[in-house]
Amino acid sequence: MSYNPENALIVQSDRTILLEVHAPTAGAAREAIAPFAELIKSPEHVHTYRLTPLSIWNARAAGLGVEQMVKALQQYTKYPLPSSIIEEIETLGRRYGLTRLFKSDDGFFLILKVADEALAELLLREKPIAPLLEKRLSPLSFQVPTQFRGLLKKALVEVGYPAEDLAGYVQGDALPLKLRSTAQSGQPFVLRPYQLEAADVFYQSGRVQGGSGVICLPCGAGKTIVGMAAMAQVQENTLILTTSLTSVRQWRRELLDKTELPEEVIAEYSGEMKATGPITLATYQILTYRPHKDADFPHFSLFQARSWGLIIYDEVHLLPAPVFRITAELQARRRLGLTATLIREDGRESDVFALIGPKRYDVPWRELESQGFIAQAICREIRVPQDSEEQMRYAVAPRRQQFRVAAENPRKLEVVRQLLIDEIGHKILVIGEYIEQLRTLAELTKFPLITGKTTQKQREVLYQKFRSGEIDGLVLSRVGNFALDLPDADVLIQVSGKYGSRQEEAQRLGRILRPKSDGRTARFYTLVSERTCEEDFARHRQLFLTEQGYGYQIN
DNA sequence: TATAGCGCAA
DNA sequence: CGTCGTGCGCTATA
């Protein structure tokens, strides 16, 4: 194959792939490589992707073959593919499944089968793996104690030979569960096609491969409903872990509304309740509670409280380290991770891959948008200059305070004022990081301010006023990131954001994506101080949006 | 016995 | 890098 100037991709031997955004085939090329390449930079003209072992294994686990990956690159590459890249994809891609885990016939231990003797010898010489292999059963198989299932999978990912786990699951106590066709609230209720597909892919109609993994869906796309659909497939006792009490309550409400489960079946295991039932809801926080450092985790007993047939990890990208550790011991339970972004700020994606499971399903946000399940959104970044006095303050500030100086750029106030004029008549959320700045903004906009100190009662009152249209806007601190009960808005103005968090960007964008009754477009504004570190952070945050197919207008 | 307020941790 | 929000368990209060 030779030079093809129409094409959008430049594939380089260092495993990076450059995508020329304005090339005629850019959209199709992006779609073709997104399943197996990780986006790392997305400025306006050229986006950079990278092939990583994990990105390739996730694609393999989702059923994408190495030939398809190579073909995708060949189809859209501008220059001939470096042969090293083809080899790289083949080597890494083919490694997936060279090791496979089975249950022994009597069920007392696991069997690790490897593809060839050389690999067997290689694994025997790997420090993290050798101690987990109890006995060699044949040239190509090892006996492994069942309790090492998670450790072994984690270690195999580390040494580059991820296992296909075919050892199956224990059966949990039965729990008959039916989804309603009319929700209790009276609304007709049907699973959307992608929700059904996600739950099916997770469960794989009873095949042994299914039953563990991660489903990525945008906020507002109904992850809770996918969870319920999975529960309806499994029909066994389920433990649901979430990040907050609000979210516990939300799951409970949804379960009562959309399934035929009676109230007493759903228990809440929290600071104030500590009940368990066939369906139990708990927070990560109570699980990670310890009376003092170096003590063990008293609430881990929850995992043994019942015979769980399914454990759901809500917001799996926020899973705390101790829960990872115990999840290594729970590999015989079905596990479903739910998230909007698989990206972890601590880089433990490979732990999610090994211990929860590979990514089973995701839909680009833009696709849901075109189907009308989430609202269209326009994202705009507004560069705000600092005046000279402020520039000086920024320049001389200690490095660690620079970000705050940039974030609190007083000229952002003017911009907000102008945006309010432009957006008059719409429902507006102003979100920022620093309470002082938000106080000033609240005064300026005459919108009520909600921070962590605002009592739940007051929040409710204000949300209600916002919903009813009595007030046009709210100023919010970080409570705006996670508060599930926060009403939806048309316009979101982000005056400052936290470092490089893609998660945060996702959460906040999700705020305005609930479909509008009149099909209106939502607007997402990010205010960024010019010539400051904020520009760099902003770029990093936007990676997420680009991954989802959103363009960022900058001015 | 219920509940408000505090300190702590990840 | 620190700031902020959260939920835990404990203690004080009646």
Side-chain angles (χ1 to χ4, degrees):
Chain A
M1 205 199 302
S2 55
Y3 176 62
N4 188 339
E6 294 280 287
N7 276 352
L9 298 182
I10 298 171
V11 183
Q12 308 185 104
S13 55
D14 67 351
R15 303 175 201 181
T16 60
I17 302 170
L18 306 180
L19 172 78
E20 288 187 357
V21 178
H22 310 295
T25 57
R30 197 193 69 80
E31 220 167 281
I33 65 169
F36 61 92
E38 186 189 335
L39 181 69
I40 46 178
K41 261 201 304 197
S42 63
E44 53 274 64
H45 303 302
V46 178
H47 295 178
T48 307
Y49 288 80
R50 186 169 43 204
L51 294 170
T52 70
L54 221 51
S55 72
I56 290 175
W57 294 335
N58 262 318
R60 287 284 295 113
L64 202 67
V66 293
E67 303 78 15
Q68 288 166 278
M69 300 185 215
V70 173
K71 232 172 118 187
L73 293 180
Q74 262 158 359
Q75 187 175 350
Y76 295 106
T77 189
K78 190 179 284 252
Y79 305 104
L81 290 187
S83 58
S84 64
I85 281 294
I86 301 178
E87 267 164 49
E88 183 80 17
I89 293 176
E90 283 177 348
T91 321
L92 281 173
R94 297 238 155 84
R95 278 194 196 181
Y96 179 82
L98 287 185
T99 62
R100 292 186 296 164
L101 268 173
F102 298 90
K103 201 184 293 180
S104 67
D105 290 336
D106 58 13
F108 290 138
F109 53 89
L110 300 168
I111 298 170
L112 178 74
K113 291 193 179 167
V114 301
D116 56 69
E117 274 189 69
L119 182 54
E121 294 304 322
L122 190 136
L123 293 180
L124 272 173
R125 283 161 183 75
E126 289 285 356
K127 266 212 187 77
I129 294 189
L132 307 174
L133 306 177
E134 199 171 40
K135 190 162 91 185
R136 191 153 184 177
L137 298 170
S138 77
L140 296 182
S141 64
F142 297 92
Q143 176 173 324
V144 176
T146 47
Q147 71 269 25
F148 289 163
R149 186 163 164 185
L151 283 179
L152 180 60
K153 284 200 287 184
K154 197 163 164 267
L156 284 168
V157 167
E158 276 159 25
V159 302
Y161 290 90
E164 206 172 334
D165 185 347
L166 303 169
Y169 308 95
V170 295
Q171 199 170 358
D173 291 340
L175 174 70
L177 188 157
K178 253 179 80 182
L179 298 178
R180 295 173 190 265
S181 52
T182 305
Q184 197 159 48
S185 58
Q187 308 274 330
F189 172 61
V190 263
L191 290 176
R192 296 170 179 175
Y194 65 87
Q195 292 167 336
L196 186 63
E197 206 182 324
D200 271 346
V201 169
F202 168 74
Y203 191 65
Q204 289 194 356
S205 315
R207 278 175 60 205
V208 71
Q209 291 96 323
S212 70
V214 176
I215 291 172
C216 287
L217 286 176
C219 317
K223 284 192 283 288
T224 318
I225 292 172
V226 172
M228 291 192 306
M231 291 166 70
Q233 305 233 35
V234 174
Q235 300 275 334
E236 289 170 20
N237 279 223
T238 299
L239 176 63
I240 303 170
L241 308 177
T242 73
T243 51
S244 69
L245 279 175
T246 320
S247 162
V248 163
R249 310 262 148 79
Q250 156 112 353
W251 271 92
R252 193 185 154 75
R253 266 202 309 277
E254 287 278 281
L255 284 164
L256 290 173
D257 187 51
K258 299 188 171 63
T259 73
E260 291 175 0
L261 293 168
E263 218 166 301
E264 62 272 16
V265 165
I266 307 167
E268 179 184 318
Y269 188 92
S270 67
E272 46 189 281
M273 302 275 275
K274 303 229 181 25
T276 60
I279 291 178
T280 301
L281 293 153
T283 61
Y284 293 130
Q285 226 153 329
I286 197 163
L287 287 173
T288 50
Y289 168 79
R290 278 191 289 186
H292 53 91
K293 248 192 158 86
D294 313 322
D296 39 38
F297 298 90
H299 298 299
F300 274 9
S301 58
L302 183 56
F303 289 103
Q304 271 76 52
R306 282 177 174 261
S307 178
W308 307 114
L310 174 66
I311 302 174
I312 296 180
Y313 300 83
D314 197 11
E315 313 287 2
V316 72
H317 59 283
L318 298 173
L319 208 66
V323 181
F324 265 125
R325 238 169 290 140
I326 191 148
T327 298
E329 298 162 27
L330 297 167
Q331 296 295 307
R333 313 279 167 187
R334 288 191 181 79
R335 304 169 302 283
L336 169 61
L338 299 171
T339 181
T341 40
L342 245 188
I343 295 114
R344 290 180 64 96
E345 249 56 74
D346 64 1
R348 296 187 69 166
E349 288 89 352
S350 73
D351 287 2
V352 176
F353 180 90
L355 298 177
I356 308 293
K359 181 171 75 182
R360 299 286 183 193
Y361 192 82
D362 69 353
V363 201
W365 291 29
R366 272 304 174 101
E367 204 166 298
L368 296 181
E369 180 186 298
S370 68
Q371 292 165 22
F373 292 121
I374 57 179
Q376 284 188 28
I378 292 170
C379 304
R380 225 178 105 195
E381 179 177 311
I382 301 178
R383 298 279 166 96
V384 185
Q386 294 172 307
D387 54 34
S388 54
E389 196 184 314
E390 202 61 16
Q391 271 176 6
M392 189 52 80
R393 281 222 311 145
Y394 178 81
V396 301
R399 206 171 169 64
R400 60 181 199 280
Q401 278 170 37
Q402 282 187 333
F403 183 75
R404 182 158 189 169
V405 174
E408 297 192 308
N409 180 359
R411 287 184 61 179
K412 286 183 177 178
L413 300 180
E414 277 314 304
V415 179
V416 172
R417 196 203 299 274
Q418 186 55 48
L419 284 173
L420 291 190
I421 294 167
D422 297 345
E423 295 288 358
I424 203 154
H426 293 286
K427 304 178 86 183
I428 302 170
L429 298 177
V430 180
I431 303 191
E433 281 297 299
Y434 299 105
I435 305 294
E436 272 311 299
Q437 181 187 35
L438 293 172
R439 256 194 269 277
T440 319
L441 277 162
E443 272 171 51
L444 173 92
T445 59
K446 308 278 189 284
F447 293 155
L449 172 67
I450 299 178
T451 71
K453 285 217 265 300
T454 314
T455 61
Q456 294 297 332
K457 244 207 181 85
Q458 274 176 289
R459 292 184 204 188
E460 268 312 307
V461 172
L462 291 170
Y463 293 157
Q464 189 45 45
K465 284 187 178 173
F466 185 76
R467 249 187 290 264
S468 71
E470 196 177 325
I471 48 180
D472 300 320
L474 292 170
V475 178
L476 300 159
S477 69
R478 272 167 45 187
V479 292
N481 289 3
F482 296 103
L484 293 161
D485 40 2
L486 179 61
D488 303 291
D490 298 318
V491 179
L492 193 147
I493 304 172
Q494 181 170 245
V495 290
S496 51
K498 198 178 185 300
Y499 310 113
S501 173
R502 293 192 225 183
Q503 272 172 44
E504 189 175 80
E505 198 80 351
Q507 295 282 358
R508 291 182 173 176
L509 179 64
R511 276 280 154 249
I512 54 169
L513 289 182
R514 179 104 0 133
K516 317 296 171 214
S517 46
D518 54 2
R520 265 200 320 272
T521 299
R523 268 120 20 240
F524 183 79
Y525 300 101
T526 304
L527 274 45
V528 169
S529 290
E530 217 164 68
R531 288 175 48 199
T532 69
C533 56
E534 255 196 329
E535 289 183 337
D536 305 321
F537 292 130
R539 190 181 321 128
H540 188 231
R541 284 200 315 261
Q542 287 159 24
L543 271 181
F544 170 75
L545 296 171
T546 314
E547 270 167 350
Q548 302 305 335
Y550 287 97
Y552 231 74
Q553 236 174 293
I554 301 180
N555 62 340

